[in-house]
Amino acid sequence: MNGIKNISFIGGDKRQIYMQSFFENLGYKTEAFAANGSERINKSIISNSDAVIFPLPVTDKSGNISSNSEIKYKITDIAGLITEKTIVFGGMLSEKNKQLFSEKRIKVYDYFAREDVAIRNAVPTVQGILKTIFNNIDYTLFSSKCAVFGFGRIGKAIADALFALGADVTVFVRKESDVALIGAKRLNACKISEKNNIISAFDIIINTVPAMMIDKSTLLKVSKNVLIIDVASAPYGVDFAEAEKEGIKAMLCPSLPGKTAPVSAGKILARGILNIMKEEGYE
């Protein structure tokens, strides 16, 4: 199997810059397009690349490649430039995007689907959540009452971090087994179905579940001084329109690692891609 030598990076935020630097330092020839500046797509370079690396997430709601660039490109247009000989990598690839490449017989890999990447990425995500909290409160996190919705990788990590900083933490989950596990970690646990019974007690609410958790009925019961932070992927978990109507501070904070720890986050994603290349024989 032929190895990868030339890589094109398309779109993304600061993480993509450090991903590119990571591969350059390993001796790969790289080019970047539609990233933080206004670099236009070079069709010839992309068509002749051994690999194309898309950002995390690959596209926004409009089907544009996620980017801080002023110039926007549709994923469908870029896919038209990529040939069968090119390997594609992307983060949080939708089924529609996967199908777009598979129909052209292009090998495509979702680097964010890897367990090692997701676990390591939880650390800069938690740092971003904590930074967001500290930037938006005028009281100590110590002894504050914090609610965390979800007990996946991010939910576990932020609950542990808040507890370590002295917060009174309650985790909202669906499964009884998670209630037992949370209790074993000396955290408070509550079923999501019972959230409205105690939601008024919290100073800070963090949602990690990509489904509606903080709906109108819940927002009508929260403290008016509460800080709500949603770090879930689309379709997110907070009724932001209702929160604004009620004068409640609710913040949607996607891709926090790219904003608060892009160097570390970029290296984590790059190592995930490199591991795929090694495992699949592309190195």
Side-chain angles (χ1 to χ4, degrees):
M1 187 176 289
N2 295 329
I4 291 173
K5 299 180 179 64
N6 305 306
I7 305 175
S8 287
F9 290 80
I10 301 178
D13 51 26
K14 289 182 179 179
R15 289 173 293 184
Q16 197 88 331
I17 295 172
Y18 293 108
M19 288 168 70
Q20 181 185 6
S21 177
F22 179 94
F23 281 100
E24 277 188 349
N25 290 337
L26 291 176
Y28 291 86
K29 183 179 179 181
T30 70
E31 299 281 352
F33 304 101
N36 285 290
S38 56
E39 311 88 342
R40 292 188 177 275
I41 295 294
N42 185 307
K43 297 179 181 179
S44 177
I45 290 178
I46 292 173
S47 297
N48 288 286
S49 295
D50 299 319
V52 170
I53 297 178
F54 289 104
L56 167 68
V58 174
T59 53
D60 59 22
K61 291 180 181 179
S62 302
N64 294 319
I65 295 169
S66 299
S67 172
N68 289 336
S69 174
E70 298 171 359
I71 303 173
K72 302 299 180 184
Y73 291 94
K74 293 287 185 183
I75 185 70
T76 49
D77 294 335
I78 302 303
L81 305 176
I82 300 173
T83 63
E84 285 185 36
K85 70 178 182 63
T86 302
I87 312 301
V88 170
F89 301 92
M92 291 178 66
L93 277 156
S94 67
E95 289 304 316
K96 184 177 179 180
N97 287 339
K98 288 178 184 177
Q99 185 177 359
L100 179 66
F101 292 108
S102 62
E103 286 177 351
K104 297 186 63 180
R105 298 183 179 179
I106 295 169
K107 290 268 191 179
V108 58
Y109 299 91
D110 188 337
Y111 53 79
F112 199 65
R114 292 180 61 90
E115 190 72 8
D116 58 323
V117 171
I119 291 171
R120 292 188 176 108
N121 193 65
V123 174
T125 300
V126 166
Q127 179 172 306
I129 294 171
L130 292 175
K131 184 176 181 180
T132 303
I133 291 172
F134 290 134
N135 287 343
N136 286 279
I137 62 174
D138 55 6
Y139 50 86
T140 63
L141 190 54
F142 183 87
S143 80
S144 351
K145 290 186 174 295
C146 299
V148 177
F149 280 78
F151 203 54
R153 284 179 291 262
I154 303 301
K156 289 175 183 175
I158 188 59
D160 286 343
L162 292 169
F163 181 74
L165 290 170
D168 181 354
V169 183
T170 299
V171 184
F172 288 84
V173 290
R174 290 192 176 94
K175 297 189 295 185
E176 193 63 39
S177 58
D178 283 339
V179 171
L181 179 58
I182 292 162
K185 292 169 69 69
R186 295 185 297 154
L187 301 170
N188 304 312
C190 183
K191 289 288 194 69
I192 289 173
S193 59
E194 300 170 3
K195 61 182 177 177
N196 288 357
N197 295 334
I198 62 171
I199 202 69
S200 62
F202 297 102
D203 305 302
I204 299 166
I205 299 171
I206 299 163
N207 177 61
T208 70
V209 182
M212 186 54 66
M213 295 287 111
I214 317 299
D215 55 13
K216 181 177 180 177
S217 67
T218 303
L219 288 166
L220 291 174
K221 292 181 177 293
V222 300
S223 164
K224 294 299 181 182
N225 297 317
V226 71
L227 171 64
I228 301 174
I229 299 172
D230 191 349
V231 297
S233 55
Y236 316 116
V238 177
D239 186 338
F240 289 99
E242 186 63 28
E244 183 177 8
K245 179 181 174 182
E246 295 296 326
I248 295 165
K249 190 164 191 176
M251 306 175 67
L252 177 60
C253 300
S255 302
L256 275 177
K259 298 179 178 73
T260 59
V263 176
S264 298
K267 288 179 179 177
I268 289 167
L269 302 181
R271 288 193 183 101
I273 294 169
L274 187 63
N275 286 337
I276 294 172
M277 289 165 59
K278 288 178 179 178
E279 292 164 8
E280 298 295 327
Y282 298 129
E283 194 183 27

